[in-house]
Amino acid sequence: MGPSDASSSLVLVTGVSGFVGSAVARALAERGARVRGLVRQSSPRANLTDFPGDLVEGDLRDPEAVTRAMSGMRYLFHVAADYRLWAPDPEEIVRNNATTTRIVMEAALAARVERIVYTSSVATLKPRDGEPADEGRAAAPDQVVGAYKRSKVVAERLVEAMVAERGLPAVIVQPSTPIGPRDVRPTPTGRIIVEAANGRMPAFVDSGLNLVHVDDVAAGHLLAYDKGRIGTRYILGGQDVMLGDMLAEIAAIVGRKPPMIRIPRAPLFPFAWVNEQVARVTGGDPFLNVDSLRMAKHRMFFTSAKAEAELGYRARPHREALADAIAWFRDAGMVR
């Protein structure tokens, strides 16, 4: 999909109503690709009002719908995922991500798609407390916390097996924690930004994460298409940040006092359990849940050195990503 064939590139992108998928679709269109977006009828339309291509409706769990969407496509960016850290039935998350990945990849093989970029996650890697983890820290399903991470491990291993055994032409990218504009749901990290910007996070736990601008993640997807090796994993991250420092930076951007109270995780588990029970009744999404607390035990720090060396990947400072996210949330009426 280089300059010579940009005008004739037919690219299917899944997950285009979502945060990362919409950014990838825009990046492809800016490059000159002819983009087709596959979207569920029930998906939110906020990111699709100015979609730069054709939209087709279909459920990724429906093999016939996926096959129709794949017809005539030369390239595939499979970005869609069930990104929830909690569900009343956690195994639903595992089933969704494993099943849809298998269906999409089977359809791509049948359609003889020439090249695939598969969006995995650093959730499939084992963290290393004290130093950033790299792509060599691949986890087994029983080595990760929570249904979402387990679902991404299962799906990533499926893709790797199809590459090795059936010649699936897929490159795997592993975004860390994307933040920035168009986080319509928002994502779990987006919710933290919104709550903190509105002054509703008076305390925090001692944890850390790797923040990256969503548009840098999208650019990394295109670099993986251009230069990535088939079957190879590439972390697309930004900067490692302690949660307390992130909240202080958000407070500075919006002109609030930063939270100063650091609390241990253990006393929060009963509150998380109660939140989950309330969510089961109300149908809502608990802001605090047991799996998130368990994940917070580790500092989710990662290095993008491999993508930088092999792909030429670069990420802007995470403070710019925070500022862009807050500006978008403010425009959307989510931050006062």
Side-chain angles (χ1 to χ4, degrees):
M1 198 168 46
S4 62
D5 66 351
S7 62
S8 62
S9 299
L10 293 167
V11 188
L12 178 66
V13 183
T14 68
V16 291
S17 68
F19 185 35
V20 176
S22 65
V24 170
R26 283 174 169 79
L28 284 164
E30 287 173 5
R31 182 164 166 168
R34 294 163 57 193
V35 180
R36 174 181 293 173
L38 177 59
V39 62
R40 287 197 316 268
Q41 185 177 19
S42 60
S43 291
R45 290 301 198 261
N47 278 337
L48 302 177
T49 53
D50 57 348
F51 185 75
D54 300 323
L55 287 171
V56 294
E57 289 188 352
D59 194 308
L60 290 177
R61 295 167 296 186
D62 179 354
E64 292 185 3
V66 174
T67 296
R68 286 195 299 271
M70 200 82 66
S71 177
M73 296 294 101
R74 292 182 63 187
Y75 312 112
L76 165 67
F77 286 72
H78 180 40
V79 189
D82 186 344
Y83 183 20
R84 293 178 292 167
L85 299 184
W86 181 87
D89 174 14
E91 292 307 310
E92 180 186 23
I93 300 173
V94 182
R95 289 194 299 271
N96 282 346
N97 284 332
T99 300
T100 56
T101 299
R102 178 183 56 77
I103 288 172
V104 170
M105 296 306 161
E106 289 284 358
L109 278 174
R112 299 176 185 259
V113 166
E114 296 172 26
R115 194 163 172 89
I116 299 165
V117 176
Y118 166 64
T119 310
S120 184
S121 168
V122 294
T124 68
L125 302 172
K126 294 176 288 187
R128 297 177 66 179
D129 283 330
E131 58 182 304
D134 61 18
E135 293 86 349
R137 300 278 298 174
D142 62 354
Q143 292 178 313
V144 295
V145 174
Y148 172 72
K149 288 192 173 190
R150 191 165 70 254
S151 77
K152 294 301 287 185
V153 172
V154 170
E156 184 180 280
R157 300 295 162 266
L158 171 66
V159 171
E160 289 176 329
M162 293 180 74
V163 170
E165 299 167 10
R166 302 175 62 186
L168 185 76
V171 180
I172 299 167
V173 293
Q174 299 173 308
S176 58
T177 307
I179 57 174
R182 301 181 301 276
D183 189 359
V184 295
R185 184 169 292 179
T187 59
T189 311
R191 289 184 70 187
I192 291 175
I193 294 172
V194 168
E195 294 299 308
N198 284 319
R200 294 195 293 258
M201 283 194 68
F204 58 92
V205 296
D206 183 21
S207 188
L209 65 171
N210 184 284
L211 298 175
V212 60
H213 198 294
V214 68
D215 291 336
D216 293 334
V217 171
H221 278 68
L222 270 64
L223 289 168
Y225 171 86
D226 287 335
K227 304 176 183 179
R229 290 179 285 125
I230 298 298
T232 301
R233 300 189 300 268
Y234 297 95
I235 293 173
L236 302 180
Q239 288 83 49
D240 294 328
V241 186
M242 293 302 297
L243 179 58
D245 293 337
M246 170 185 165
L247 298 178
E249 290 166 352
I250 293 170
I253 291 170
V254 300
R256 294 184 181 274
K257 290 184 178 180
M260 303 301 292
I261 305 170
R262 187 171 66 184
I263 53 179
R265 292 181 310 117
L268 295 176
F269 278 96
F271 294 100
W273 183 85
V274 169
N275 271 1
E276 290 185 5
Q277 305 319 305
V278 170
R280 291 179 188 277
V281 174
T282 63
D285 189 11
F287 181 66
L288 184 65
N289 61 74
V290 172
D291 279 346
S292 291
L293 278 179
R294 292 173 64 202
M295 292 176 196
K297 177 181 179 181
H298 301 284
R299 295 177 181 178
M300 299 297 176
F301 290 169
F302 300 93
T303 173
S304 303
K306 182 177 178 180
E308 291 167 1
E310 294 193 19
L311 309 180
Y313 172 75
R314 297 292 183 269
R316 73 198 74 183
H318 72 276
R319 290 176 185 83
E320 293 183 22
L322 282 172
D324 283 357
I326 291 168
W328 188 88
F329 285 133
R330 184 173 279 134
D331 288 344
M334 299 165 70
V335 169
R336 298 190 304 275

